[in-house]
Amino acid sequence: MERSAVNREIPSHIEGYGDVAGRLYEGAFARTPSGYRSGPRIRSSSPHDGSKLTGGVKEAIMAAGVKSGMTLSFHHHLRGGDHVVNGVIQACAELGITDLTIFPTALFDVHKDIIPYIKSGVVSRIMGSVNGAIGRLVSEGGLSSPVVLRSHGGRPRAVISGDVHIDAAFIAAPAADRAGNISGQMGRSACGSIGYAFTDAEYADVVVAITDNLQSYPISPISIPGVYVDLVAVTDSIGDPAGIVSGTTKVTRDPIRLLIAKYASRLIEASPYFMDGISFQTGAGGIPLAVTAFLKEAMKRRDIRASFGLGGITGYFVDMMKEGLIQKLMDVQSFDLEAVRSIASNPSHIEISADWYANPWNCGAAVNMLDVVILGATEIDMDFNVNVCTEADGALLHGIGGHQDTAAGAKLTIIAQPLTRGRIPCVVDKVHTVTTPGEVVDAIVTEFGVTVNPRRTDLMDACADFAVSRRIPLIPIDELAERAKKMCGVMEPIRTSDRVAAVVEWRDGSVIDVIRQLEK
Amino acid sequence: MERSAVNREIPSHIEGYGDVAGRLYEGAFARTPSGYRSGPRIRSSSPHDGSKLTGGVKEAIMAAGVKSGMTLSFHHHLRGGDHVVNGVIQACAELGITDLTIFPTALFDVHKDIIPYIKSGVVSRIMGSVNGAIGRLVSEGGLSSPVVLRSHGGRPRAVISGDVHIDAAFIAAPAADRAGNISGQMGRSACGSIGYAFTDAEYADVVVAITDNLQSYPISPISIPGVYVDLVAVTDSIGDPAGIVSGTTKVTRDPIRLLIAKYASRLIEASPYFMDGISFQTGAGGIPLAVTAFLKEAMKRRDIRASFGLGGITGYFVDMMKEGLIQKLMDVQSFDLEAVRSIASNPSHIEISADWYANPWNCGAAVNMLDVVILGATEIDMDFNVNVCTEADGALLHGIGGHQDTAAGAKLTIIAQPLTRGRIPCVVDKVHTVTTPGEVVDAIVTEFGVTVNPRRTDLMDACADFAVSRRIPLIPIDELAERAKKMCGVMEPIRTSDRVAAVVEWRDGSVIDVIRQLEK
């Protein structure tokens, strides 16, 4: 057994993952690389080559030389509407290919269709976020190898460093041409940014664009140039538009959540970062959107303009840019129709790769430039450690997303969350899973006020000034935990076996925690 | 001695270059790679890192850790207005750094300021195009190591394959922000596309952006993201706008050149490629622009639209796109003010890297999609081999540019050139230097008509149909050479020593020819 810097017991060797000794989490910025990036497979081409176009998904799999035991990568910009993962896995099964490692950025409920293929051994390993049904299957021991969870920045880091070698990347392409130039911005399956797919295209041995919208050469704009793309498969539909983008993302109407949002926005206003040029990431949740709405009023009142909004981009940010309150948007994932339209038409709306967004192992990702991020949690503990992966019953139901990356990068990392969900406490003595260490979490905001990490005495002082005028109730972490205990009573302990069902990597590739299989 | 496939005698070993055996030119598409790309140096970053901003050029050189013996790369989008190469070399000299290899995309007359530093040993090796004064110096033995000439596609190939390792890249940045995001499209030194610099940024051990236009983070659009950029040096001026872009590129008014252009345009019209969706690269010369003007009329007459224009882009192409005659422009270098304005404002005007433009060792460069290219030459011979590097006196005065790449990629490669320049013949028995092999040259057009490479019987037939109506005079290569001889008399042979002053690489990294030092 080893013990990580966040005090977690982790086996020295994890079957199906490897040795942990030597790559144990030692601190948010402790591990730095040396040497050189992994070199992608070199190709050559001539004007006399045959076409890159293949018949359909199955033909593309054959042309790509996919074999049993290989690692296939996918990206999740088509979200709940994605047809590509299921289509590729089913075709592999029909071709008799087994023992695949899949390396998606994220799987959702729509991908529960691959569960039979997990059970039959077509898919034997998953490295990527497993949301919902597949996560539950994993928690219950349904996969023989542990899932490896990485953040949006940790994933490209793993690829460029050689931790993960992609045999074949399958890129869902809302638009493509016969040379393999890809864009996410046009077509019936338009999803806006396809930032998560960039590194896969650059590093995979074989890159397959799967499109339902083949256009004449050259398309423009081009997100991923055809110089990285070996094959283009044309299929009837890569996704269901209804599942790809939501209509509009909406601010919460729940009074408790609105109160939390108000406190969070006041905390930001009290902070030293609330000045012209402020930058923030707020995501698409109800509370963060409400924080943005309150902030927007404060910005107008104090004549402040933001330099950029980052991350998953919503129509709310797009509107703020149109109103001149945000100057630029840096978009790794476009959440709604308005964001998709904006990225396709406004040069100030910049498509960024996951590497650019969040990779700790390049010359400086966008998260490092971030002032404020509002994040959620399933649990937070007395050390400010945050769990976003497992639910109260210990089941792995959520991926890391950009949580680790933005928390580490931003000057002010705020977890905004009601203290309880039903009878389940969100603040506990010890989180079941450490996704993000307290070292990079600055404050928790609940309906009871603001809880500042004691390490941030500057923030305490800033809030205290506000507190004098009674605008920000301050509540220490132990009082908050005590209150949660009173509200929810003592929780049943989660019963797990020793077997590791999932490994949680910190964004630098070290192991910060493991998620153990649930006992029946 | 070895003998290349174009029948050139090449030493088996070239001092200062290496062994030639095993990398002798064997044919335009003979050499294909295996294995993996070179891995760029891996970096890491955190929000607690210091600023990337350094004081000026000298401070940046120190911060980059530049030492004697290193390889420094540059790009030439600032052309005759560039201040960056001279500034960096002078600062290196002042810092006592010597024995540098410089790896520019191209050097021009403005760079003759570095000649004293070549003589004093600050610069001991050049890999890149040497136009004008520095070329003459090299031809006369002024550099101890041979210059290595590579095409626009061969250069990124050399970098990604590991043939060339860049210790530090200095990128002239018409606009940059403090995170190192770079654009060529804004500012007083705007040059449009900075496509030649992309691969350097991705592969160099240290990347320095040198800018005279630091803007707030994040700039947009961004050509090279700051994730590749280690340092940002701010200086008063990176270039002289008058030398960076020409006012307007003009069609020739010379009647002989107009006649050549007319014949070339008729050849294109007669070819099977003159149909809707045709694509072409014509460059900025007087004859090619005139070809474009004639083609434009033919396109209107026959209701044909081009899919894309490629390469160095001029206002002439921009106007054709505005008129709907060209759908897209793919721009690796913007030649004039109109092109600079267009790339900054029109999403159909696409910035492409040199890798994307022309590298034979990726999944397929844009040149492979090209129908027609119009190129020039200093000499063409009976085998249709083309020389663009050395002049009639044997002096190395020009780089390869995209000549090899487009000739190899295009379906119809036309050399359009007057038969003589003054009393110097352009068609000869044997070119002094083979830049581009006859294997990829389809036709020569002079004021005497069209000379089709006998290999292209299909083109002969197509032209013959036209010839019946007397619109394209056809003249065989031997008659053309005979005519040149009659006009110019017998030329004095060029007298060279055995010493190799420059190596001409074919785009795949094989040695196609060498340029020997001139005898005094």
Side-chain angles (χ1 to χ4, degrees), chain B residues 132-182:
Chain B
I134 297 175
R136 185 159 293 279
L137 178 81
V138 168
S139 296
E140 291 169 355
L143 199 67
S144 57
S145 288
V147 161
V148 183
L149 298 177
R150 294 185 178 93
S151 71
H152 286 329
R155 187 179 182 278
R157 185 213 58 76
V159 175
I160 64 138
S161 68
D163 283 358
V164 173
H165 179 83
I166 305 171
D167 293 301
F170 291 88
I171 299 181
D177 61 35
R178 69 186 191 281
N181 294 308
I182 299 174

Side-chain angles (χ1 to χ4, degrees), chain A residues 58-132:
Chain A
K58 198 179 275 185
E59 290 79 0
I61 291 167
M62 291 189 286
V66 173
K67 290 183 181 56
S68 295
M70 282 190 169
T71 298
L72 313 186
S73 88
F74 303 92
H75 65 110
H76 76 270
H77 294 95
L78 303 187
R79 287 171 285 264
D82 176 59
H83 291 168
V84 170
V85 173
N86 293 347
V88 169
I89 300 303
Q90 190 188 321
C92 284
E94 287 168 14
L95 290 165
I97 298 167
T98 62
D99 190 26
L100 293 170
T101 294
I102 60 171
F103 183 52
T105 50
L107 296 178
F108 297 96
D109 266 331
V110 67
H111 300 118
K112 63 180 183 303
D113 289 6
I114 70 166
I115 290 179
Y117 301 115
I118 292 174
K119 293 185 172 163
S120 67
V122 174
V123 173
S124 59
R125 203 162 167 236
I126 300 173
M127 301 188 288
S129 294
V130 281
N131 300 275

Side-chain angles (χ1 to χ4, degrees), chain A residues 29 33 35-37 39-45 47-48 52 217-218 220 227 229-230 308 328 360-364 368 408, chain B residues 29 33 35-37 39-45 47-48 52 217-218 220 227 229-230 308 328 360-364 368 408:
Chain A
F29 306 102
Y36 289 81
R37 287 185 171 213
R41 184 174 70 88
I42 204 160
R43 278 83 143 183
S44 69
S45 65
H48 312 300
K52 291 184 182 184
Y217 177 92
S220 70
V227 294
V229 178
D230 300 273
F308 68 97
K328 305 285 169 76
W361 286 7
N362 60 30
C363 295
N368 288 355
Chain B
F29 305 102
Y36 289 82
R37 287 185 172 213
R41 186 174 68 90
I42 204 161
R43 279 83 142 182
S44 69
S45 65
H48 312 301
K52 291 185 182 183
Y217 177 93
S220 70
V227 294
V229 178
D230 299 273
F308 68 97
K328 306 285 168 78
W361 285 8
N362 60 30
C363 296
N368 288 356

